Amino acid sequence: MGASPTLISSVQRAFRLLEAASAHENGAPAKQLARETGLPLGTAYHLLRTLVHDGYLRKLDDGGFVLGDRLQSLHTGGRGQALLTRVRPVLSALRDELSSAAYLTFYEDGEIRVSEVVDGPRAPRVDLWVGFEDAGHATALGKAVLRELDDDSRKDYLSRHTLNDLTPHTVTTAVELIRRLENTPLAPAVTDLEEYALGTVCVAVPVYSGGTVGSLGVSMPRNRLDRFDEVRERLLPTAHRVTRSLSLTM
């Protein structure tokens, strides 16, 4: 118990130093930051070294301290969370209207990654038994992204990913996959007809967050195949709404 106040005080002092450093665009030396925060110089030096080591501050060649890359990463991540908060109600409405789990993915750092899943008791999500990074070729969500990529980006993705045979319906050759992407009858929507998991079908359409392509889709039992046209017509305007929301600046 005796150590807690010391730990809390250290955290508070570190935050005060970060706040002080943020006020100096061109950096400020340790003595100035200590003076502005009311900290003993030795304490300030110790905390500044720790903050630099962990990437929250960066020490310039002239001895001044500025905010580090770690804080920028936190800011970017927080912005991403805020943007997703904007679209969750849209995904929830889609789930309720179609009684289907709704998914949102993005193509980031050369991988197709699930950013959000909104499901419920009457709209369970598909069992993600194989990660989306290894199943882009077998999911509607992945194929919606691949269809939007330019030729070079698509070839790069396919060169780095094995087209694993996940079910008897999975397409496992790049030539056939590209042919189907370019000739999908529901374009720009694409489908997954039990290619990822037996008994489950999916429909997905592209979305964008600025220049980043992603996809919005829903999954449903195979016996609801006859609703694909209806689902597509609901997905397209929803995707436009999501793209608008994600493209707004914070």
Side-chain angles (χ1 to χ4, degrees):
M1 294 293 293
S4 295
T6 301
L7 292 174
I8 293 172
S9 297
S10 293
V11 172
Q12 291 172 332
R13 291 167 179 166
F15 278 130
R16 282 157 56 189
L17 284 169
L18 289 172
E19 290 171 353
S22 71
H24 300 279
E25 184 177 348
N26 297 317
K31 289 183 179 179
Q32 182 177 353
L33 294 175
R35 184 171 62 251
E36 292 178 357
T37 56
L39 296 176
L41 185 57
T43 300
Y45 271 128
H46 172 72
L47 290 172
L48 288 168
R49 282 197 299 269
T50 301
L51 291 168
V52 169
H53 178 270
D54 289 342
Y56 293 104
L57 287 178
R58 181 164 57 90
K59 190 174 184 180
L60 303 176
D61 292 338
D62 64 4
F65 294 87
V66 295
L67 296 182
D69 294 337
R70 189 77 175 270
L71 278 178
Q72 180 61 37
S73 298
L74 289 175
H75 173 72
T76 302
R79 183 177 183 275
Q81 289 181 5
L83 287 172
L84 285 176
T85 298
R86 288 181 176 178
V87 303
R88 284 190 188 106
V90 179
L91 299 183
S92 296
L94 186 67
R95 173 201 61 195
D96 294 342
E97 182 174 343
L98 298 177
S99 298
S100 303
Y103 308 79
L104 184 67
T105 77
F106 288 106
Y107 188 63
E108 299 171 326
D109 301 321
E111 301 293 347
I112 301 166
R113 296 182 174 135
V114 178
S115 295
E116 191 69 23
V117 182
V118 178
D119 59 358
R122 294 192 299 171
R125 69 182 68 188
V126 65
D127 178 18
L128 303 179
W129 70 285
V130 175
F132 267 60
E133 292 186 8
D134 297 316
H137 65 294
T139 65
L141 291 156
K143 289 190 287 183
V145 171
L146 292 174
R147 189 176 185 277
E148 293 298 300
L149 295 180
D150 59 47
D151 288 342
D152 289 340
S153 297
R154 189 189 296 164
K155 288 177 182 176
D156 173 67
Y157 176 89
L158 294 175
S159 72
R160 293 182 289 103
H161 295 80
T162 302
L163 306 188
N164 294 308
D165 187 3
L166 304 183
T167 78
H169 307 287
T170 308
V171 175
T172 57
T173 66
V175 172
E176 177 61 14
L177 177 64
I178 293 172
R179 187 190 70 79
R180 294 194 185 191
L181 291 177
E182 294 176 346
N183 295 282
T184 177
L186 295 178
V190 295
T191 61
D192 154 18
L193 304 178
E194 298 186 279
E195 296 158 54
Y196 177 76
L198 292 176
T200 298
V201 296
C202 305
V203 186
V205 296
V207 296
Y208 281 87
S209 177
T212 301
V213 63
S215 59
L216 170 71
V218 295
S219 63
M220 61 194 74
R222 186 185 185 284
N223 60 15
R224 294 173 61 190
L225 270 173
D226 59 347
R227 296 190 63 191
F228 266 17
D229 287 336
E230 172 194 348
V231 170
R232 176 187 182 277
E233 294 310 307
R234 183 67 184 87
L235 279 175
L236 288 173
T238 303
H240 291 317
R241 193 173 306 123
V242 168
T243 292
R244 286 197 302 272
S245 296
L246 291 174
S247 297
L248 292 174
T249 56
M250 297 297 290

